[in-house]
Amino acid sequence: MENIKKSFTRCKAEKRPALVTYVTAGYPTKEATIDILLGLQRGHADVIELGIPHSDPIADGVTITKASMTALSNGVTIESTLQTVKDARSRGLQIPVLLMGYYNPILSYGEDRLLDDAKEAGVDGFIIVDLPPEEAVRLRNYCTKAGLSYIPLISPATSESRMKLLCKIADSFIYVVSRMSVTGDTTGTLNADLPNLLERVHTYSGGVPAAVGFGVQSREHYLSIASIAEGVVIGSQIIRELSQAAPGKEGQAVEKYCRIITSNDDSSNNLTREVGIIETLAEAREPNGSLTQADKVVTAAETNGHTNNLVDRLEALNPDPTDSIPMRFGEYGGQYVPEALFDCLAELDKGFQSAVNDPKFWEEFRSYYPYMGRPSPLQFANRLTEHIGAGKIYLKREDLLHTGSHKINNAIGQILLARRLRKTEIIAETGAGQHGVATATVCAKFGMGCTIYMGAEDVRRQSLNVFRMKLLGAKVVAVDAGSRTLRDAVNECLRNWVTSLSTTHYIIGSAIGPHPFPTIVRTFQSVIGEETKAQMLELRGKLPDTVIACVGGGSNASGMFAPFIKDSTVKLLGVEAGGEGLDSMRHAATLSGGTKGVLHGVKTYILQNQYGQINNTHSISAGLDYPGVGPELAFWKDSNRVSYIIATNAEALKGFKMLSELEGVIPALETSHAVWGAMERAKTTSKDEDIVICLSGRGDKDVQTVADELPKFGPQIGWDLRF
């Protein structure tokens, strides 16, 4: 911590901003990283941010994301990153080094262990992109005791109240995000409102320096920011320089670049008009040097005593729990997102609470039941029941809804919410395409712009739904990164949302993501379980004995299970995608085979390796091919209220086959997992027991997939459709 403070103090004495540089550990190779760090030092960098690569970097643009993927393929871990710092120190690296990254790899490594090992390796502090401030206060206190610094981030979207408290957390400097974007913005311009943002930060920072990053590329940018901030952060442009450097020359390349940035020779400097505007706006203010100069270095002793008070004040920013929906379900849930999203999520939370407490909102929601096809029927599956010869099986026919699945429930609810929030554009992710189709449908109905993000692999296997979305007027963006499936579509949606918060609402399709999304989705999908309850009471005079749903992210399962949670006589069973089996590592059974972690802004069960990197998943069903699950379903698992089993690809195809042949209903492959689970459950029950399956979607979209997979699985399940 003290080294960072000394660096900023020295830069102030030299009347220049500190140059804070970012590189990804292990990029372009593990072997080159030490030379790169030493090259940055020779180029007069004052602080180094050393990025810990992560498989799902939701706040990063393409440049740093590619660097992370390369580093991971090079075998980079937190342990190897710490060794790199240690080796660099032994070779003469003296300037401060911060580790920068996402929380899940740190959580997996262990916070206490990391602080000890980082201190020993010669690390000076941390920047954690997606750690909620409430938890950041706790970690910052631990860092302070270890003599390490914790750097908070502030964005243009940060509210005044949050900014005050984030500034209180800061001990060495504050990272100010210059614009609402992901890293690597290549517009070539700086935010014209940056002077206003820096003035606010300086007002509350108590003399702690501020360093500006995001979109900074050139010496012109460096000079422009120098007039209003104590530090300048450059990252993506350095990564680009490294990508163009000859092997073995990476250290020389970054040294040369940094020397150009920090050069005192201004003879060739041609400031752009945009830079002039920034400087003019800054200088047009009434003189107030105290706002733009770090006149005091705040010591650990001065700030450490305020920690408990900060926790209380940060908690006070959250809605009154007596008036709001819960942010967590036990230990699961939360908001593990970049700072730029916090206040937008608060706006969404407030708008959602207002809506659900407004009878007129629900009146409007129900007015679209005829359009949606509600109520969906509850059908007795007599032939399937006879075939099993045990418990009675009923089908809650969500597949008969408009667009062919339960997804329309949430899509209608969220687009009505978006209108209340005065948003004009909609984005969404989709796996199997059903949520994408539902979202495109409601956007057409309500006249809103629509962009759907879909993994490139899912685009291939769900081409029919892609065409349906385009017919409905939506723009479909194929995400050709990572596993090229639903997980990557969510990553890209979150990145896009950061850049367009003022006009855009993200209609998330599953019960995943940061608060309040899991509760929003469950609330609008609960119509499934509520109707099922009423229909069973009317049809059978009692509640069902067992309710079954497939589980991917959890949208249909949460909607089906939630109304039954307090009915202890009703057994709830979720069926996950077992793929090729839990032992194969080619599955998507998060609750059955996963561990606790953070993914896409929420703490829940996830599929991850020992280093906290997200595993690739596999399922015959595109809609279940996701490495996380909704936090409420995780809570239900730990509380033993819901049981979870798996169905392999072959078993899901059995369910698909039996329902098609015996009931004349072709189910979605997602739903087929639940059908198989119901068949297995029925075999263990008496003939008087009632089992209800949430038939979440129809299988038109999956017919080609089934045809393609039958040569492999047909012989295993006795299914031969050859002519």
Side-chain angles (χ1 to χ4, degrees):
M1 181 195 304
E2 295 304 319
N3 287 338
I4 304 172
K5 292 179 179 179
K6 289 177 182 177
S7 290
F8 276 89
T9 300
R10 185 183 66 253
C11 292
K12 178 187 175 184
E14 296 173 0
K15 297 182 179 180
R16 65 177 180 84
L19 176 60
V20 182
T21 56
Y22 171 92
V23 291
T24 302
Y27 179 82
T29 66
K30 290 172 71 173
E31 295 74 21
T33 304
I34 295 176
D35 287 335
I36 292 169
L37 300 181
L38 294 172
L40 292 171
Q41 179 171 265
R42 292 193 303 270
H44 303 298
D46 299 292
V47 178
I48 295 174
E49 297 173 0
L50 185 58
I52 302 170
H54 185 39
S55 55
D56 293 76
I58 60 175
D60 289 314
V62 63
T63 300
I64 291 179
T65 297
K66 286 184 176 180
S68 287
M69 297 306 107
T70 299
L72 290 174
S73 68
N74 290 337
V76 173
T77 64
I78 288 182
E79 191 170 4
S80 71
T81 301
L82 292 172
Q83 187 62 48
T84 295
V85 176
K86 191 172 185 178
D87 292 344
R89 292 296 189 201
S90 70
R91 287 180 51 183
L93 183 68
Q94 296 180 347
I95 62 176
V97 175
L98 298 163
L99 294 186
M100 184 173 187
Y102 294 80
Y103 186 52
N104 196 59
I106 293 171
L107 181 64
S108 180
Y109 191 90
E111 292 178 5
D112 292 340
R113 176 190 171 200
L114 179 59
L115 292 179
D116 290 341
D117 293 352
K119 181 75 172 178
E120 182 183 352
V123 170
D124 296 277
F126 297 91
I127 302 175
I128 304 176
V129 176
D130 59 344
L131 190 63
E134 294 78 7
E135 295 193 36
V137 171
R138 172 186 53 78
L139 184 60
R140 176 262 197 188
N141 193 31
Y142 294 155
C143 286
T144 301
K145 291 178 180 178
L148 301 171
S149 180
Y150 182 86
I151 314 300
L153 290 95
I154 287 175
S155 82
T158 302
S159 66
E160 211 77 2
S161 55
R162 286 184 67 84
M163 185 178 292
K164 291 178 183 178
L165 295 175
L166 289 169
C167 286
K168 292 288 185 182
I169 295 174
D171 47 37
S172 59
F173 76 94
I174 300 162
Y175 191 135
V176 179
V177 177
S178 68
R179 60 170 66 246
M180 298 300 292
S181 67
V182 294
T183 59
D185 186 296
T186 57
T187 60
T189 62
L190 293 175
N191 181 2
D193 197 45
L194 196 53
N196 289 321
L197 176 60
L198 266 297
E199 182 182 21
R200 291 165 58 211
V201 171
H202 285 122
T203 299
Y204 305 124
S205 65
V208 176
V212 174
F214 277 53
V216 182
Q217 303 171 38
S218 64
R219 175 161 169 75
E220 287 77 12
H221 290 164
Y222 174 82
L223 292 173
S224 180
I225 293 172
S227 65
I228 55 175
E230 295 76 42
V232 180
V233 185
I234 304 180
S236 294
Q237 187 58 40
I238 294 177
I239 298 295
R240 294 186 193 103
E241 296 290 330
L242 287 171
S243 70
Q244 298 169 11
K249 302 292 185 181
E250 294 90 354
Q252 296 176 29
V254 296
E255 177 185 355
K256 179 181 178 181
Y257 175 75
C258 289
R259 286 184 180 277
I260 292 172
I261 294 296
T262 60
S263 171
N264 292 320
D265 178 11
D266 295 338
S267 60
S268 63
N269 180 42
N270 296 313
L271 297 183
T272 66
R273 177 170 177 77
E274 182 270 333
V275 173
I277 289 174
I278 294 290
E279 294 173 342
T280 299
L281 286 171
E283 293 171 1
R285 304 180 180 283
E286 295 182 8
N288 189 348
S290 63
L291 294 181
T292 58
Q293 298 296 324
D295 294 321
K296 176 185 176 184
V297 176
V298 182
T299 66
E302 290 176 298
T303 59
N304 190 40
H306 300 304
T307 300
N308 290 334
N309 180 254
L310 283 174
V311 172
D312 293 340
R313 291 170 66 190
L314 281 163
E315 290 292 350
L317 291 180
N318 295 327
D320 184 339
T322 61
D323 299 327
S324 66
I325 55 179
M327 185 176 286
R328 291 185 184 269
F329 306 95
E331 67 178 292
Y332 305 107
Q335 294 177 328
Y336 296 81
V337 295
E339 172 59 27
L341 285 178
F342 275 106
D343 284 289
C344 179
L345 290 170
E347 176 197 41
L348 178 60
D349 188 10
K350 182 179 179 181
F352 175 64
Q353 291 182 57
S354 172
V356 297
N357 289 313
D358 183 355
K360 291 184 178 179
F361 176 82
W362 289 112
E363 182 180 341
E364 183 179 17
F365 180 74
R366 288 189 292 270
S367 74
Y368 289 98
Y369 275 14
Y371 180 76
M372 298 157 67
R374 302 223 71 90
S376 64
L378 183 70
Q379 171 189 329
F380 176 47
N382 62 303
R383 293 200 65 220
L384 183 60
T385 297
E386 291 171 5
H387 176 78
I388 301 299
K392 296 180 176 63
I393 298 176
Y394 293 83
L395 310 176
K396 178 57 174 168
R397 298 292 305 275
E398 295 296 291
D399 61 312
L400 295 179
L401 295 182
H402 183 36
T403 74
S405 80
H406 70 291
K407 296 293 188 180
I408 192 69
N409 305 324
N410 175 57
I412 286 287
Q414 286 213 50
I415 204 160
L416 294 177
L417 179 59
R419 288 205 309 176
R420 287 175 71 103
L421 295 173
R422 301 186 183 279
K423 306 299 182 182
T424 58
E425 297 288 328
I426 298 295
I427 60 171
E429 89 297 334
T430 194
Q434 290 298 90
H435 175 58
V437 169
T439 301
T441 297
V442 298
C443 286
K445 176 70 172 174
F446 289 88
M448 288 193 180
C450 180
T451 302
I452 307 294
Y453 292 87
M454 193 173 189
E457 171 61 16
D458 293 337
V459 168
R460 180 195 64 79
R461 58 182 172 177
Q462 295 293 336
S463 57
L464 176 60
N465 272 342
V466 173
F467 188 58
R468 291 172 71 192
M469 287 181 259
K470 296 182 79 169
L471 282 175
L472 291 161
K475 177 183 177 183
V476 181
V477 178
V479 181
D480 195 10
S483 61
R484 306 165 75 241
T485 58
L486 178 59
R487 152 193 167 194
D488 308 289
V490 175
N491 285 338
E492 202 59 36
C493 253
L494 288 169
R495 292 185 187 115
N496 177 276
W497 196 32
V498 170
T499 68
S500 55
L501 296 176
S502 61
T503 59
T504 303
H505 176 63
Y506 177 12
I507 299 186
I508 204 164
S510 202
I512 58 172
H515 170 82
F517 279 119
T519 303
I520 290 175
V521 174
R522 182 252 291 153
T523 298
F524 292 135
Q525 294 293 3
S526 288
V527 64
I528 307 171
E530 290 164 358
E531 283 183 6
T532 301
K533 255 189 168 183
Q535 289 166 328
M536 282 299 294
L537 288 171
E538 180 179 354
L539 186 65
R540 296 283 290 159
K542 67 182 185 73
L543 295 178
D545 297 286
T546 303
V547 174
I548 299 178
C550 64
V551 176
S555 59
N556 89 100
S558 63
M560 185 59 144
F561 293 160
F564 290 100
I565 285 296
K566 295 181 180 179
D567 299 306
S568 59
T569 61
V570 181
K571 180 178 177 61
L572 303 175
L573 181 65
V575 187
E576 295 190 283
E580 296 178 6
L582 289 181
D583 296 335
S584 71
M585 296 300 294
R586 284 179 52 78
H587 64 81
T590 305
L591 291 162
S592 301
T595 53
K596 298 173 184 178
V598 173
L599 174 66
H600 293 147
V602 63
K603 186 176 183 182
T604 183
Y605 279 90
I606 62 176
L607 294 173
Q608 59 184 326
N609 65 18
Q610 68 190 79
Y611 304 113
Q613 307 298 345
I614 308 305
N615 289 337
N616 289 335
T617 54
H618 166 74
S619 172
I620 194 173
S621 159
L624 302 184
D625 202 352
Y626 182 69
V629 69
E632 195 165 19
L633 280 83
F635 174 70
W636 290 338
K637 169 188 167 68
D638 284 6
S639 62
N640 296 313
R641 182 60 189 95
V642 180
S643 300
Y644 299 95
I645 62 173
I646 69 164
T648 64
N649 289 339
E651 290 164 342
L653 281 173
K654 285 183 184 177
F656 184 95
K657 174 180 184 291
M658 298 309 297
L659 197 67
S660 298
E661 292 182 349
L662 295 175
E663 294 295 336
V665 176
I666 300 175
L669 280 171
E670 293 80 15
T671 308
S672 300
H673 289 72
V675 174
W676 181 85
M679 290 164 56
E680 293 301 296
R681 172 64 183 166
K683 293 175 184 177
T684 67
T685 65
S686 70
K687 292 187 176 182
D688 294 329
E689 291 198 23
D690 296 329
I691 299 169
V692 178
I693 305 170
C694 181
L695 204 67
S696 56
R698 67 186 186 218
D700 311 42
K701 65 184 179 61
D702 295 317
V703 169
Q704 188 59 53
T705 297
V706 172
D708 293 341
E709 296 290 345
L710 271 183
K712 175 180 178 180
F713 292 106
Q716 298 179 32
I717 63 175
W719 197 11
D720 187 350
L721 293 181
R722 289 175 296 180
F723 294 103

